[in-house]
């Protein structure tokens, strides 16, 4: 078996024929071009030193496929307004890469830059204070003080004080000590004999905040003096409170400085918090540690909070997030996800609120909260399709009967056929929304010859609270019907051929994808799904958001029905609402992309559905990413996912 045929066969990827390999090669080159596009993660604007125009600093990231990480860069620009009111960006010649950096935050004036490099194994956390031309300070914080700084966009909070001498931030508490044992039994921590053989026990199991937070310690609040590097945990905060999104309150002459932060109480159980805005939270104010300078250097003054307890600023509202002070320091503004908390829906319409900040520094838990904007609605910028509701057979409020919307994207690659093949793209959540902004992944699919129908079915954000709240209790029917109506709408308009339609979605979009190929088995030529919710009865006992199953299956009353021990009646309903109940009717070739570390939708729920299809002879392909969680967002995994999606759809729709 050493001939040329055998040799060339071994060089081909397992399970891929010559035609498919050619598709992989051509599509992978194109996908690499899209993948290589950099993204602006954050931007800051400062006054220019010259007084003319402004200075801007951008934090940019770019996937590095070979390293399976994201490169981070800083790019600066001088921004000028021209005489014709156009804006001119005078860019620095090149961006500067920030290797090994987890967080970058400039000071309010732009004169200093905080750079944080998180620890590896037992090494300390590294803080660098950069000036205009050099690193001015470097501090190493041992893990006995705290672990990694939170940089996830949820608990993350890093804030400079007004005179740029102190930095408040959120980091992992030190790992709790664990019991030690020897051959003689328990080893007392005061024992002087360290030569005896011993082992460390596991200690108490501690709950985590679910998806993406596995292995992370409690989020706690710290303050660093950048002159001395002295770091102190903020006192007075209950251990049951996870903190995040910290900001400095405006300074008051002759009074202590305060920090305002968001606090999440763990309650009876820490349910999954990533993407879940329905977790109750509040804004708190706490006295910051007081640093004083002496002749021989800075020193931390006693920061006891026994006489100044933590103040809950938002007791009258169930949710308060993303606090910001007005430039004059007179007002504290924040968003609230109270609609999500009160209804149980994981993401609903947010509202904007304001608090008068006491200029005398005397805080009160009975501060009046003023509603500024009761409902923040998305405003789509591009021409979209209005899809009328069809066959309304149950009671709906007026807002839930209005047309929903879908974004139709035409392919740039025109074929000889009247209509290019259509990919129906379905977002997850379900209570999020697909925007008309640029998506590298969808642009790639469009560029290889597909039209896109991006459906914002009822339950999506941006179309009013009544439309959003109409979906819980009706998943698997209302959302499925909305997608089918949208597909028929574009077919009737002559924009799609009934024989060349594929469907793609992840999470709840995967729930819809697998429902659609079961409920409308002759509608789709191909399907692909990432971490789909295929079986709520199986999911409810293993996910970090079991309450989601109840609220979406039962409606808002499911919040009160929720239990950790589902009854047979509950499990029956979950099964009836699930795609698995329609799996026997599926004919559509389906690609499954599953993250093995997914806590939100454990991968075996999708695997069960895939195996059910395979058993009845439906073409199935399964790719499991061993180190990915729910989002499957590691650069290599994301690349391989969309390459396989492109090749899979080309195979069955060409």
């Amino acid at each position: 078996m050493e001939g040329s045929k055998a040799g060339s066969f071994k060089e081909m990827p397992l399970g891929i024929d010559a035609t498919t390999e050619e598709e992989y090669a051509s599509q992978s080159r194109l996908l690499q071009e899209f993948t290589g596009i950099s993204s602006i993660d954050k931007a800051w604007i400062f006054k220019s030193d010259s007084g003319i125009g402004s200075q801007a600093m951008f934090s940019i990231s770019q996937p590095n496929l070979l390293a399976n990480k994201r490169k981070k860069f800083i790019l600066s620009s001088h921004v000028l307004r021209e005489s014709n009111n156009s804006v001119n960006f005078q860019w620095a010649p090149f961006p500067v890469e920030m290797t090994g950096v987890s967080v970058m935050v400039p000071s309010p004036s732009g004169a200093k830059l905080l750079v944080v490099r998180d620890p590896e194994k037992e090494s300390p956390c590294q803080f660098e204070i950069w000036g205009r031309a050099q690193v001015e300070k470097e501090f190493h914080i041992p893990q006995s003080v705290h672990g990694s700084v939170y940089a996830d966009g949820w608990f993350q909070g890093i804030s400079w004080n007004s005179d740029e001498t102190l930095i408040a931030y959120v980091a992992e508490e030190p790992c709790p000590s664990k019991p030690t044992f020897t051959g003689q039994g328990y080893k007392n921590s005061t024992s002087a004999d360290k030569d005896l053989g011993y082992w460390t026990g596991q200690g108490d199991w501690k709950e985590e905040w679910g998806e993406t937070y596995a292995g992370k310690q409690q989020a706690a609040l710290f303050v660093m003096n950048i002159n001395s590097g002295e770091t102190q945990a903020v006192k007075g905060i209950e251990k049951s409170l996870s903190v995040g999104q910290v900001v400095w309150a405006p300074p008051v002459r002759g009074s202590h400085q305060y920090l305002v932060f968001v606090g999440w109480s763990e309650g009876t159980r820490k349910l999954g918090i990533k993407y879940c805005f329905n977790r109750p939270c509040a804004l708190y104010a706490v006295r910051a540690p007081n640093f004083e300078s002496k002749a021989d250097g800075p020193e931390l003054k006693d920061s006891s909070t026994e006489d100044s307890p933590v103040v809950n600023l938002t007791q009258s509202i169930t949710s308060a997030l993303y606090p910001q002070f007005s430039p004059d320091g007179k007002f504290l503004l924040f968003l609230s996800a109270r609609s999500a908390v009160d209804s149980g829906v994981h993401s609903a319409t947010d509202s904007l609120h304001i608090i008068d900040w006491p200029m005398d520094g005397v805080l009160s838990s009975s501060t009046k909260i003023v509603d500024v904007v009761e409902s923040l609605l998305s405003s789509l910028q591009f021409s979209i399709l209005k899809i009328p509701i069809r066959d309304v057979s149950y009671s709906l409020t007026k807002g839930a009967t209005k047309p929903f919307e879908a974004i139709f994207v035409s392919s740039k690659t025109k074929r000889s056929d009247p209509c290019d093949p259509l990919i129906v793209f379905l977002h997850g959540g379900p209570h999020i929304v697909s925007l008309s902004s640029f998506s590298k992944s969808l642009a790639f699919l469009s560029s290889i010859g597909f039209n896109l129908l991006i459906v914002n079915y009822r339950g999506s954000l941006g179309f009013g609270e009544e439309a959003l709240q109409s979906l819980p209790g009706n998943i698997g029917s209302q959302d499925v019907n909305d997608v089918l109506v949208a597909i028929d709408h574009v077919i009737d308009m002559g924009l799609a051929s009934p024989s060349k339609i594929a469907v793609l979605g992840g999470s709840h979009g995967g729930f819809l994808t697998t429902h659609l190929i079961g409920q409308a088995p002759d509608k789709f030529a191909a399907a692909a799904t990432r971490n789909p919710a295929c079986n709520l009865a199986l999911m409810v006992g293993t996910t970090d958001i079991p309450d989601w199953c109840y609220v979406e299956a039962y409606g808002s009353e499911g919040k009160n029905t929720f239990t950790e021990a589902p009854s047979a009646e509950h499990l029956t309903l979950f099964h009836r609402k699930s795609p698995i109940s329609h799996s026997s009717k599926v004919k559509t070739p389906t690609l499954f992309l599953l993250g093995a570390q997914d806590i939100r939708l454990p991968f075996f729920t999708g695997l069960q559905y895939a195996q059910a299809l395979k058993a009845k002879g439906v073409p199935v392909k399964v790719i499991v990413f061993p180190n990915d969680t729910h989002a499957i967002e590691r650069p290599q995994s994301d690349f391989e996912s969309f390459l396989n999606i492109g090749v899979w759809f080309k195979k069955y729709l060409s």
Side-chain angles (χ1 to χ4, degrees):
M1 298 293 291
E2 296 180 358
S4 60
K5 286 187 177 181
S8 61
F9 177 79
K10 288 180 180 179
E11 293 172 1
M12 292 173 60
L14 181 65
I16 299 178
D17 57 29
T19 302
T20 304
E21 185 183 33
E22 185 176 341
E23 279 289 343
Y24 264 94
S26 63
Q27 288 194 32
S28 66
R29 287 191 293 270
L30 180 61
L31 180 54
Q32 279 181 312
E33 292 185 27
F34 282 97
T35 302
I37 298 173
S38 59
S39 302
I40 296 177
D41 300 324
K42 291 183 180 179
W44 298 268
I45 301 291
F46 313 101
K47 292 181 180 179
S48 174
D49 292 340
S50 65
I52 302 174
S54 302
Q55 290 293 131
M57 189 180 87
F58 299 86
S59 173
I60 298 174
S61 63
Q62 183 179 26
N64 181 347
L65 289 174
L66 291 179
N68 202 18
K69 295 179 179 179
R70 298 188 70 85
K71 289 187 174 183
K72 293 188 178 183
F73 305 90
I74 283 182
L75 181 60
S76 299
S77 175
H78 190 204
V79 185
L80 295 172
R81 183 175 294 278
E82 305 291 356
S83 57
N84 61 357
N85 280 334
S86 64
V87 177
N88 180 21
F89 285 81
Q90 298 178 353
W91 298 99
F94 303 102
V96 178
E97 183 175 2
M98 308 296 285
T99 305
V101 172
S102 60
V103 183
M104 298 176 286
V105 181
S107 64
S109 69
K112 298 182 177 70
L113 176 69
L114 168 68
V115 172
V116 179
R117 303 177 193 273
D118 275 339
E120 296 181 3
K121 297 182 179 179
E122 301 300 320
S123 62
C125 190
Q126 185 174 324
F127 283 66
E128 299 169 1
I129 307 298
W130 291 26
R132 297 288 190 185
Q134 63 184 16
V135 177
E136 296 181 348
K137 303 273 187 178
E138 183 174 319
F139 306 112
H140 292 219
I141 312 301
Q143 295 204 12
S144 59
V145 176
H146 65 66
S148 297
V149 172
Y150 271 89
D152 64 305
W154 193 265
F155 291 114
Q156 178 183 338
I158 298 180
S159 180
W160 292 76
N161 71 340
S162 59
D163 64 8
E164 304 185 352
T165 59
L166 303 176
I167 297 173
Y169 59 96
V170 179
E172 293 184 67
E173 287 186 336
C175 293
S177 59
K178 296 182 178 181
T180 303
F181 303 92
T182 70
Q184 305 300 317
Y186 176 70
K187 180 178 179 291
N188 191 308
S189 59
T190 60
S191 173
D193 191 351
K194 298 182 180 180
D195 296 329
L196 294 175
Y198 65 91
W199 76 92
T200 302
Q202 298 302 312
D204 294 345
W205 175 73
K206 190 171 180 59
E207 282 192 312
E208 298 158 341
W209 282 112
E211 172 70 20
T212 76
Y213 294 107
K216 294 188 76 69
Q217 299 298 320
Q218 177 91 344
L221 190 55
F222 298 84
V223 174
M224 168 185 279
N225 183 319
I226 69 165
N227 293 319
S228 66
E230 195 164 6
T231 301
Q232 177 82 354
V234 177
K235 297 180 180 179
I237 302 174
E238 294 183 5
K239 291 292 185 182
S240 61
L241 209 61
S242 291
V243 307
Q245 303 174 17
V246 62
V247 294
W248 284 92
V252 177
R253 184 180 297 274
S255 177
H256 288 281
Q257 285 193 285
Y258 281 89
L259 297 166
V260 174
F261 64 91
V262 180
W264 293 265
S265 179
E266 61 185 64
T268 57
R269 178 185 171 185
K270 286 183 177 178
L271 294 169
I273 201 169
K274 186 77 169 181
Y275 316 118
C276 301
F277 288 88
N278 63 329
R279 306 304 177 213
C281 56
L283 295 187
Y284 296 85
V286 64
R287 184 182 294 177
N290 185 17
F291 292 86
E292 286 190 350
S293 295
K294 290 189 175 182
D296 56 351
E299 181 181 276
L300 180 67
K301 190 178 179 181
D302 178 27
S303 59
S304 173
T305 57
E306 292 180 1
D307 59 343
S308 56
V310 175
V311 178
N312 185 332
L313 301 171
T314 57
Q315 287 187 350
S316 62
I317 195 168
T318 54
S319 169
L321 295 154
Y322 305 115
Q324 291 290 333
F325 283 92
S326 60
D328 60 9
K330 293 181 179 180
F331 304 105
L332 174 62
L333 295 91
F334 65 93
L335 293 177
S336 175
R338 62 180 177 184
S339 293
V341 174
D342 296 346
S343 67
V345 172
H346 276 230
S347 183
T349 309
D350 288 345
S351 51
L352 177 65
H353 304 268
I354 194 169
I355 293 174
D356 287 337
W357 189 254
M359 303 308 292
D360 59 1
V362 179
L363 304 179
S364 171
S365 59
S366 58
T367 302
K368 182 181 178 181
I369 298 173
V370 178
D371 293 358
V372 179
V373 181
E374 293 187 357
S375 178
L376 297 179
L377 303 180
S378 298
S379 175
L380 301 180
Q381 301 299 312
F382 300 100
S383 177
I384 54 179
L385 304 178
K386 298 282 187 180
I387 313 295
I389 304 300
R390 187 177 67 188
D391 299 331
V392 177
S393 57
Y394 53 95
S395 176
L396 288 172
T397 59
K398 183 179 180 180
T401 60
K402 294 180 179 180
F404 59 96
E405 298 174 345
I407 306 167
F408 184 80
V409 181
S410 296
S411 172
K412 294 179 180 178
T413 306
K414 295 299 180 184
R415 293 150 51 106
S416 58
D417 296 336
C419 298
D420 285 341
L422 179 72
I423 297 175
V424 180
F425 177 79
L426 306 170
H427 65 70
H431 309 296
I432 57 175
V433 67
S434 291
L435 302 175
S436 54
S437 55
F438 178 73
S439 163
K440 291 187 284 187
S441 302
L442 295 184
F444 161 70
L445 294 176
S446 177
S447 71
I448 60 174
F450 294 103
N451 288 345
L452 305 175
L453 182 66
I454 306 168
V455 183
N456 284 317
Y457 45 88
R458 281 174 294 166
S460 303
L461 292 173
F463 305 103
E465 189 69 13
E466 290 182 7
L468 185 147
Q469 294 290 350
S470 70
L471 183 55
N474 296 308
I475 59 167
S477 53
Q478 177 178 298
D479 45 4
V480 170
N481 289 334
D482 282 357
V483 177
L484 292 173
V485 170
I487 294 171
D488 289 342
H489 188 79
V490 294
I491 291 174
D492 293 342
M493 293 177 67
L495 299 175
S497 169
S499 63
K500 297 186 293 184
I501 299 175
V503 60
L504 166 65
S507 194
H508 190 86
F511 172 87
L512 287 176
T513 297
T514 47
H515 251 307
L516 286 161
I517 61 177
Q519 293 193 41
D522 298 314
K523 198 84 169 178
F524 303 97
T529 180
R530 291 165 43 128
N531 286 331
C534 297
N535 187 347
L536 303 187
L538 179 60
M539 171 186 168
V540 70
T542 54
T543 179
D544 66 335
I545 54 167
D547 61 313
W548 181 93
C549 300
Y550 277 89
V551 169
E552 298 299 336
Y554 281 93
S556 291
E557 64 269 22
K559 181 182 176 185
N560 301 320
T561 309
F562 167 60
T563 173
E564 299 282 1
S567 65
E569 178 187 359
H570 294 170
L571 295 175
T572 299
L573 177 67
F574 291 149
H575 182 270
R576 189 168 70 247
K577 294 276 187 179
S578 298
I580 196 75
S581 65
H582 300 281
S583 60
S584 62
K585 298 176 285 184
V586 175
K587 306 174 184 177
T588 307
T590 306
L591 168 66
F592 292 83
L593 305 159
L594 309 174
Q597 301 302 317
D598 188 359
I599 299 174
R600 183 62 40 91
L601 282 169
F603 81 99
F604 45 76
T605 60
L607 193 60
Q608 180 195 39
Y609 189 96
Q611 290 170 332
L613 301 192
K614 190 175 181 180
K616 64 188 299 292
V618 177
V620 167
K621 181 173 182 176
V622 178
I623 301 177
V624 177
F625 299 94
N627 299 312
D628 278 85
T629 57
H630 188 55
I632 311 185
E633 60 188 358
R634 292 157 64 90
Q636 290 177 0
S637 305
D638 183 65
F639 181 90
E640 188 175 352
S641 292
F642 277 92
L643 176 58
N644 277 278
I645 290 169
V647 172
W648 187 259
F649 285 166
K650 277 283 190 179
K651 179 178 180 180
Y652 288 102
L653 274 79
S654 295

